[in-house]
Amino acid sequence: MKSLLRILATLFALGILIAVVAYIDGATLPVDHTATVTGIVQAPPAKVFTLITNIAAAPTWRKNVKQVHILPPVSGPNGAQDHWIEDLGQGQTMTFLAVRTDDPTPQGRARREVLLDVAGASYGGTWTYALSPGPTPTQTTLTITEAGFIHPPIYRFLMTHILGRNANLNQYESDIQAAAIRP
């Protein structure tokens, strides 16, 4: 019985030590970061743009989005801006505001900039989607850039050393590529 208690106490102490080291390491990492992914989507720019901007349909193709609540548009310098809440399940929601949307040009270039719109949030920033023609007319080059911040040191540690800074961007890129090939 004593050896079992010693093992449990050692495991508990080891867990505390790991948490302290993770916190200290996270505290030394920068709060602000930039991450970018680029990929070729097997669909023309107009279809990719529609996927990105049709917020209500996101739960049909984005694995992590369970439901979307469309909010009234916000008046901005370029007109009405889309505003919505994404329900990620298990009580986690995120509110977004599209601060810039440039519709596709005849050459297939488009841009959409989205802000995580939560005052006092632990993390957030902007995602910029830049679309340009791909190698063929039926493909799109999609570049997503996140300019974000993460305040809690433990979150910074996890995103840097465990999940990777591009984890959310890679998931979105994978989801949009899968959705784009559907009819």
Side-chain angles (χ1 to χ4, degrees):
M1 184 68 168
K2 279 186 176 181
S3 61
L4 177 61
L5 288 177
R6 257 190 222 133
I7 291 171
L8 291 176
T10 301
L11 289 175
F12 181 76
L14 186 60
I16 296 294
L17 178 64
I18 289 170
V20 168
V21 168
Y23 183 90
I24 291 170
D25 181 72
T28 66
L29 297 170
V31 171
D32 297 319
H33 67 276
T34 301
T36 300
V37 298
T38 298
I40 303 298
V41 181
Q42 301 300 318
K47 182 173 183 178
V48 176
F49 187 77
T50 298
L51 283 169
I52 292 169
T53 57
N54 184 357
I55 303 306
T60 65
W61 63 272
R62 290 187 54 208
K63 291 180 183 175
N64 295 333
V65 178
K66 306 304 178 211
Q67 190 174 12
V68 172
H69 307 280
I70 304 295
L71 301 172
V74 172
S75 180
N78 300 323
Q81 299 171 318
D82 293 336
H83 198 207
W84 69 96
I85 299 172
E86 291 181 359
D87 182 347
L88 306 176
Q90 300 166 353
Q92 185 181 7
T93 61
M94 297 194 316
T95 303
F96 293 93
L97 177 66
V99 293
R100 176 181 174 178
T101 302
D102 298 336
D103 293 333
T105 66
Q107 297 78 25
R109 296 192 181 282
R111 184 178 181 88
R112 172 96 156 169
E113 188 173 326
V114 175
L115 169 71
L116 179 59
D117 185 31
V118 180
S122 296
Y123 57 89
T126 60
W127 276 31
T128 302
Y129 307 88
L131 288 74
S132 60
T136 72
T138 60
Q139 296 175 321
T140 302
T141 300
L142 174 61
T143 300
I144 309 169
T145 301
E146 176 182 88
F149 63 87
I150 304 172
H151 289 298
I154 292 291
Y155 286 11
R156 291 197 303 267
F157 173 84
L158 290 172
M159 288 305 292
T160 300
H161 301 298
I162 307 296
L163 301 172
R165 294 214 182 230
N166 291 354
N168 294 328
L169 298 173
N170 289 333
Q171 182 63 57
Y172 189 94
E173 183 94 24
S174 173
D175 288 350
I176 205 163
Q177 287 183 12
I181 60 174
R182 289 190 212 139

